[in-house]
Amino acid sequence: MTSIDPNQPATKIRALFISDLHFGYRGVDTAALLDCLKSYSPQRIYLVGDIIDGWKLSKRWFWTAGYTHVLDALVDHRRRGAKIIYLPGNHDERVRHINIIDRAKFSMQAGLKITNTAIHTTKLGKKLIVLHGDQFDNVLLRGRLSKLSDWFFETLTDFFDFVRPTPLVIVDGKPKKFSLAKALVKKSGKMAFRMLGTLERRVVRLIRNRQLDGLICGHTHLPKIKMLRRKYLFGNCGVWMGYTNTAIIETLDGTVELVRWPDMRATQTCIPASEAVHIARNYETALIIRRIRRLWPSRKGGVEEAKEATS
Ligand SMILES: [Mn+2]
C-alpha cells in the first residue's frame, strides 16, 4: 500500500486500473478519484467496468460537476499520450452492445478503446487478462462449476468476445438484475466466503486455460491483490465510494500493487445534463457525456429529486 504526498509531482507508472466508479449513483468519491488521477502519469489506463451506473441513470439523471472533472482528467491523460482501455461491466453493459461501426467511430472520437477483455503485459513479461468480472456471475449463482458451461464460456469469449446478459434473480416475485456486489454484502459471511472461493477457482481455471499469469477485475467492490495457487496474480480494483477508494497500479519496475485513497467525499449537487456538458474543458468529454445521455435516457430530470435514497 502506497501513501501519497499531494505536493509531489505526478508519479510515472506503467498502468492504472480503476473500476466501479458508478457515475449516476450518489456517493461516488470524485474528489479522491481526481486526486488519484492527478497523482499519476500512467502509460495505460484500464477502466475496468461499471464506470457508468446505467441502472441508476436510466431511472433518473444524476450527475455532479465532479463526474465531468474526472472525465476531463482522463481525456487530459489521453492527450498526454496515455492509452485508455474501457472494459464495460454489467452496470454499463449497453456500451457492449453499441454496434461495431458506431463503436469504432465513437472510440476514435473519444480516444478510448472499448473491449470486453484485454491482455495487459507487465514489464516483467507477465500476461494479465483484464475484464470487469460479471462474466463469472452465472457460475457463482449456480454455485457449481460445470465443465460444459466453462468450455462454452471460453469458446464464446475467445472467438466472439461474447458476454452473457446479466443474470436475473427473483425478488418479491419479480425478475431483478443480479448484483454480485450487493449479494456479497447481504449474504451471510459463510455464503459470501463460499462465493468468493468459487470465483477464485473459476479465475484460476481461466488463467490456466489461456496460459496467462494473472487476472485483474472489479465488480465485487472488494479490493484485493493476492497470489492464487502461489503463481497466478489475482487483482480486484475495488470501488470509489469513500469508505474504500482503491486502484491497482503497475509501477515502472513492473510491480503490481493496490493503492488506497482517503475518504474525500463532499456534498454532491446534481446538475442538469446541459451544464454537465457545458463545464467540460475538453470536447471529447462533452462528446462522452452526450453519448452517456443517449445510451441511458432517463425520463426524470433528477435535479429537483436529488434527495433520492442510495439504496
Ligand atoms: Mn459490476
Side-chain angles (χ1 to χ4, degrees):
M1 209 75 74
T2 314
S3 60
I4 302 298
D5 178 351
N7 302 315
Q8 287 289 312
T11 309
K12 289 193 173 126
I13 55 172
R14 293 192 85 240
L16 173 69
F17 302 84
I18 46 176
S19 78
D20 298 85
L21 310 185
H22 287 278
F23 284 5
Y25 183 90
R26 290 168 66 80
V28 185
D29 195 345
T30 47
L33 193 51
L34 261 178
D35 198 57
C36 170
L37 287 171
K38 285 174 182 169
S39 302
Y40 292 120
S41 176
Q43 293 167 6
R44 279 164 194 273
I45 300 177
Y46 291 90
L47 302 172
V48 194
D50 287 2
I51 303 304
I52 309 299
D53 199 327
W55 299 7
K56 284 276 176 206
L57 273 190
S58 52
K59 279 193 203 137
R60 176 167 297 167
W61 173 254
F62 180 81
W63 196 269
T64 70
Y67 296 173
T68 300
H69 300 329
V70 167
L71 294 180
D72 264 334
L74 286 167
V75 172
D76 289 343
H77 278 303
R78 210 266 306 173
R79 288 187 172 187
R80 279 196 293 266
K83 284 210 163 63
I84 301 185
I85 301 105
Y86 177 18
L87 307 120
N90 50 322
H91 285 261
D92 42 15
E93 68 174 341
R94 284 189 193 170
V95 178
R96 289 170 174 162
H97 305 302
I98 299 176
N99 73 63
I100 195 158
I101 296 166
D102 208 18
R103 187 193 276 213
K105 198 173 137 204
F106 174 69
S107 298
M108 206 159 72
Q109 289 171 334
L112 41 88
K113 185 181 175 191
I114 300 170
T115 174
N116 291 331
T117 58
I119 302 288
H120 174 74
T121 309
T122 69
K123 178 147 196 247
L124 309 174
K126 302 276 181 207
K127 289 198 184 318
L128 312 176
I129 183 167
V130 192
L131 69 157
H132 177 62
D134 60 302
Q135 290 90 340
F136 300 114
D137 283 4
N138 282 290
V139 175
L140 298 187
L141 265 177
R142 278 203 317 275
R144 279 184 61 222
L145 300 173
S146 118
K147 278 208 173 122
L148 184 67
S149 77
D150 265 11
W151 173 83
F152 198 60
F153 170 76
E154 236 111 69
T155 310
L156 287 174
T157 44
D158 277 352
F159 294 107
F160 305 106
D161 208 13
F162 173 86
V163 177
R164 294 179 202 195
T166 303
L168 299 173
V169 284
I170 304 297
V171 180
D172 300 330
K174 285 183 195 149
K176 256 193 106 176
K177 283 180 179 172
F178 170 72
S179 161
L180 177 63
K182 241 183 214 171
L184 288 174
V185 173
K186 281 187 184 159
K187 299 264 186 214
S188 71
K190 215 170 156 188
M191 182 72 169
F193 195 72
R194 211 160 48 210
M195 281 180 116
L196 290 173
T198 308
L199 174 70
E200 287 178 8
R201 277 198 300 282
R202 189 62 194 75
V203 165
V204 167
R205 199 128 118 195
L206 179 75
I207 297 170
R208 212 170 40 203
N209 288 351
R210 296 214 195 173
Q211 297 178 310
L212 301 166
D213 303 293
L215 177 142
I216 291 182
C217 64
H219 190 47
T220 63
H221 299 186
L222 302 169
K224 186 158 287 185
I225 289 257
K226 68 190 273 191
M227 296 306 283
L228 300 176
R229 312 272 159 93
R230 295 213 198 111
K231 54 179 172 177
Y232 303 120
L233 185 134
F234 173 60
N236 191 306
C237 306
V239 66
W240 288 81
M241 292 291 181
Y243 44 92
T244 57
N245 291 330
T246 53
I248 289 175
I249 60 166
E250 189 205 342
T251 62
L252 286 185
D253 64 9
T255 311
V256 179
E257 58 185 33
L258 196 67
V259 290
R260 192 180 290 266
W261 251 255
D263 193 331
M264 295 167 78
R265 274 174 298 173
T267 320
Q268 300 193 323
T269 316
C270 178
I271 57 172
S274 53
E275 194 182 334
V277 171
H278 183 72
I279 59 171
R281 279 186 289 106
N282 300 309
Y283 76 87
E284 295 95 326
T285 307
L287 189 95
I288 293 166
I289 299 170
R290 284 202 200 98
R291 170 62 63 142
I292 290 168
R293 198 73 180 118
R294 279 224 301 281
L295 279 172
W296 296 282
S298 45
R299 264 167 278 139
K300 291 182 184 168
V303 180
E304 318 75 38
E305 299 144 336
K307 279 181 227 119
E308 184 207 3
T310 59
S311 63

